[in-house]
Amino acid sequence: MGNRNAREWLCLKRTVRFADTDAAGVVHFLQLLKWSHEAWEESLEKYGIVLKDIFPTTQIHTRQLDVALPVVSCEANYFKPLYVGDSINIELYPEKTNDSSFRLRFKFKKDGEQVGMTNIKHVSINPITREQCSLSNQIDLWIEESILNFQ
C-alpha cells in the first residue's frame, strides 16, 4: 500500500451493459448505487486491501472480523441518461466524518461531463455488539492516503 498515484485507485472506468438498463433503454435508477459500491470495492483492491479482510464471507466463522461497515445513508442524483455501450469514468472522493464513520462521494462522468453522482455514508461497528467503534487501520489509511494524494 502507499506510494502509488491515487488516481489508480480513485478513478475507475465502466461500460454500460444491456442488463444495466430498464425497459426504456436507459440506465436503471439503482445502477448508480450498485456501481458506486463496486467502484469502492475495486478501489480498495487496487489500493492493496484484501476484500475478505473487511467484508464478511462464508469463512466468517473461522475468522472474526473486527468491524463491520454498514451503509447508514445514501443518495443518488442523475443529471443525464446513460445508454448501452456508454463508457463512463467513476471518480471516488472519500471523506472521514469522524473516528467511526466516513462518506464516499462518487462522480459519474461521460466524455468529461458529469452525468450523475452518489453519496454513501458508512459507519464502523463491532459486528457482535453492533456498537459504533473506530474504523479499521486499513480503511483509515486508505481514506487518509486518498485525501492526501488526490483531492
Side-chain angles (χ1 to χ4, degrees):
M1 290 187 260
N3 288 336
R4 288 185 312 280
N5 180 350
R7 289 195 178 276
E8 293 174 12
W9 76 83
L10 296 174
C11 295
L12 308 157
K13 297 187 182 307
R14 175 167 198 95
T15 300
V16 176
R17 302 294 179 204
F18 178 70
D20 299 327
T21 63
D22 60 18
V26 296
V27 167
H28 188 268
F29 72 95
L30 290 176
Q31 286 305 120
L32 286 189
L33 292 170
K34 179 180 179 226
W35 291 341
S36 295
H37 202 282
E38 290 173 353
W40 178 45
E41 290 179 40
E42 184 179 341
S43 174
L44 293 172
E45 287 177 311
K46 286 184 174 189
Y47 178 75
I49 294 175
V50 176
L51 295 183
K52 286 182 183 180
D53 291 346
I54 63 166
F55 292 117
T57 68
T58 56
Q59 301 166 345
I60 194 157
H61 300 296
T62 60
R63 179 188 52 76
Q64 181 61 49
L65 292 177
D66 295 333
V67 300
L69 299 168
V71 171
V72 295
S73 69
C74 60
E75 168 188 22
N77 294 285
Y78 303 84
F79 307 126
K80 296 220 171 177
L82 292 169
Y83 304 95
V84 172
D86 285 348
S87 294
I88 57 173
N89 291 319
I90 305 170
E91 297 176 359
L92 172 52
Y93 301 89
E95 169 192 338
K96 187 173 177 180
T97 52
N98 60 43
D99 286 341
S100 64
S101 65
F102 60 99
R103 183 175 320 282
L104 302 172
R105 299 180 193 280
F106 298 85
K107 290 182 182 178
F108 294 82
K109 294 183 177 180
K110 177 184 162 191
D111 300 325
E113 180 181 9
Q114 189 170 343
V115 295
M117 64 178 285
T118 60
N119 294 303
I120 301 174
K121 183 178 180 184
H122 291 264
V123 172
S124 179
I125 63 170
N126 177 298
I128 308 246
T129 66
R130 310 303 279 178
E131 299 287 327
Q132 283 191 20
C133 62
S134 296
L135 295 170
S136 70
N137 258 359
Q138 289 179 313
I139 293 296
D140 212 24
L141 285 172
W142 173 80
I143 294 169
E144 187 177 305
E145 278 198 52
S146 297
I147 291 168
L148 288 174
N149 292 307
F150 184 60
Q151 302 177 356

